[in-house]
Amino acid sequence: LIYRDKLHKKIIRFHNSGNQLELLNAYVQASKLTKNVNEKAFFLTQSYVFSLELGEDKLSESIYKKLKKMKRI
């Protein structure tokens, strides 16, 4: 739980600083930590958006497949 709280604080900090690459990595990490399906979908969706914006094609494709499997795309 402590690690999760630190991760959420990092996400907010990266949003505020505009560091999209770190934000992308934090969302990917958060999606792996949560067991809640809705939270996982949210974090993956955010990861997907940032991966597209940053031109991370391989990662975008991987996240897309996960979201599709979850029936979120």
Side-chain angles (χ1 to χ4, degrees):
L1 185 61
I2 293 171
Y3 183 74
R4 185 177 169 169
D5 290 341
K6 285 183 180 181
L7 183 59
H8 284 204
K9 287 178 183 177
K10 278 185 180 181
I11 288 172
I12 291 168
R13 188 173 67 240
F14 295 144
H15 265 291
N16 290 336
S17 73
N19 189 333
Q20 290 186 326
L21 184 58
E22 290 296 333
L23 193 51
L24 166 60
N25 291 328
Y27 276 127
V28 168
Q29 191 175 12
S31 75
K32 292 177 182 178
L33 289 176
T34 186
K35 295 188 186 323
N36 181 294
V37 175
N38 290 324
E39 280 185 6
K40 182 178 283 298
F42 171 79
F43 292 135
L44 284 172
T45 299
Q46 296 294 38
S47 301
Y48 185 58
V49 169
F50 285 107
S51 67
L52 289 171
E53 287 181 358
L54 292 169
E56 297 287 340
D57 297 333
K58 193 173 183 180
L59 183 58
S60 296
E61 186 176 328
S62 172
I63 295 169
Y64 177 86
K65 288 177 183 177
K66 289 176 186 177
L67 287 168
K68 187 162 177 109
K69 185 176 180 181
M70 295 173 73
K71 298 183 189 231
R72 300 297 176 120
I73 286 186

